[in-house]
Amino acid sequence: MIAVNNLSLSFGGTTLFSQVDLQFFPGNCYGVIGANGSGKSSFLKILAGELEHSSGSISIQSDVRMSVLKQEQNLYDDNTVIETVIMGNQRLYQCGKEKDELYLKEDFSDEDGIRAAELEEEYAELGGWEAEPQAAQLLHGLGLQTNLHDSMMGELEPRQKVKVLLAQALFGTPDILLMDEPTNNLDVNSVVWLENFLMDFEGTVIVVAHDRYFLNTVCTHIVDIDFGKIRMYVGNYDFWYDSSQLMQRLLKEKNKKNEEKISELEEFVRRFSANKSKSRQATSRKKLLEKITIEEMPASTRRYPWVGFKMEREPGKDRLFVTDVTVTQNGIKVLDKVSFIMGKDDKIAFIGDNENAISTMFKVLAGEIEPDEGDIKWGASTTQSYFPKDNTDYFDGNEDSILDWIRQFSEDKRESYLRTFLGRMLFTADDVYKEVKVLSGGERVRCMLSRLMLSGASILLLDQPTNHLDLESVAALNNGMSEFSGNVIFTTHDHQLIQTVANRIIEFKDDGIVDRTMSYDEYIGINEN
């Protein structure tokens, strides 16, 4: 069990949270949520002992083993993949390393023999002889090919390193598992495997995630950081969301009724306080008035943007024809004779492990690169707007303010209009004068979505639009894409976004594409069977 007592954290005079009292028990999965900057990652670091809190205490049983998902991808570049995973149990790893070093000594002494025997016993008790098979099983479940298990970490791609670090965190059945955004950069199959693993996990899981479907699938409790407090709720994310919205609505309704009652009483007192026959009633109402309070709703750290897409004109029947598109990069065929036709009602999700192939397809569709072979033909009356996965060219070195940056994409150049528009995307007051080159990842994405909304395009091309967005912004984007009457082609790691928006799935595989007109859950179900 983890016991948190009267915990607080402050940075530079700003208090992120205070007076936090929580308990975490084995067999439960706790999803930590909150707006960007609310302190989610800091809270996990406090629990892991990596960050000093301002006051309060954290109590964890001394005989339990805690495992933390590492974020530094290059930390283990000089180690093999299998070795890196086994490092998840540091005592086991050190025991095995010391044991092996002893056996390599040329002057192996009696004392060395005694120490080796002690290490052998401890190594066996820690499960050392099953360590490599277990590590390999975890890597296999996460989709890392066997031929990479003995490779050096420095030789792996970033997405492969993420899987190894996740396997490291899961290795050796820890008692407590702390994970910050474990689904980032994971392919669909790996996320499903992780969900199943965590649902069977018997220890305590505390996880920060922006993936609503993941939180709904694995979490038994939600830990919400808001209003400068941390509160725990039983249930998954959807249950928390519905409950929190209900409580906010009830509080607003209660305040409204109180305000109406106060107005009535004040009016009565004002009218009859000088009237002798009514003075007693006026006095009693004045006392009643003093008892009525309006509960001040705390200022939430959550901010909800508004995302909506509207096409300027309805296109004709023909939308998109992709015929035998082939692209070769560095001697490798990234796309090989890809063909599909998009109908007028299609909202297509691109999925697959090879994100390079998917991004290349988007660049071909957007006209950024020409295919080596094949053809792209858009319907004559269609217009397209593209959201690239990498948006650095739009911002790096650009000294424009947000206001000037967005003005170039708008027909209406008035500052009053642009301010109203930017306000919907959470850029208010002096925010609009910030230079775009200094914006955070989430702010840049909101700028790019603003550009997309101003385009009036009939077809939207979105390559990983949910990267860097918080849960509130993802939900707003989800609503905007669902309600859009035009076509959408998109890719994302957000399961719920795909399930609620797409009516057609195109999976990119090494030997071509699989194209199915169905929901995402239906597609996954077919592949599981």
Side-chain angles (χ1 to χ4, degrees), residues 245-260:
Q245 293 299 301
L246 176 62
M247 291 303 296
Q248 291 289 300
R249 189 163 62 250
L250 290 175
L251 185 52
K252 285 181 181 179
E253 290 173 357
K254 180 181 177 182
N255 284 346
K256 185 178 179 181
K257 290 178 181 178
N258 282 349
E259 287 172 353
E260 292 172 352

Side-chain angles (χ1 to χ4, degrees), residues 240-279:
W240 165 84
Y241 181 81
D242 292 341
S243 300
S244 65
Q245 293 299 301
L246 176 62
M247 291 303 296
Q248 291 289 300
R249 189 163 62 250
L250 290 175
L251 185 52
K252 285 181 181 179
E253 290 173 357
K254 180 181 177 182
N255 284 346
K256 185 178 179 181
K257 290 178 181 178
N258 282 349
E259 287 172 353
E260 292 172 352
K261 187 65 175 177
I262 287 172
S263 296
E264 288 179 19
L265 294 173
E266 285 178 337
E267 175 64 16
F268 188 92
V269 171
R270 184 184 63 79
R271 289 176 59 193
F272 298 110
S273 58
N275 187 320
K276 291 183 179 180
S277 64
K278 298 278 188 178
S279 61

Side-chain angles (χ1 to χ4, degrees), residues 390-406:
D390 182 1
N391 58 39
T392 53
D393 289 344
Y394 287 86
F395 300 102
D396 284 2
N398 191 329
E399 296 183 358
D400 283 346
S401 66
I402 296 175
L403 192 64
D404 290 333
W405 185 89
I406 199 65

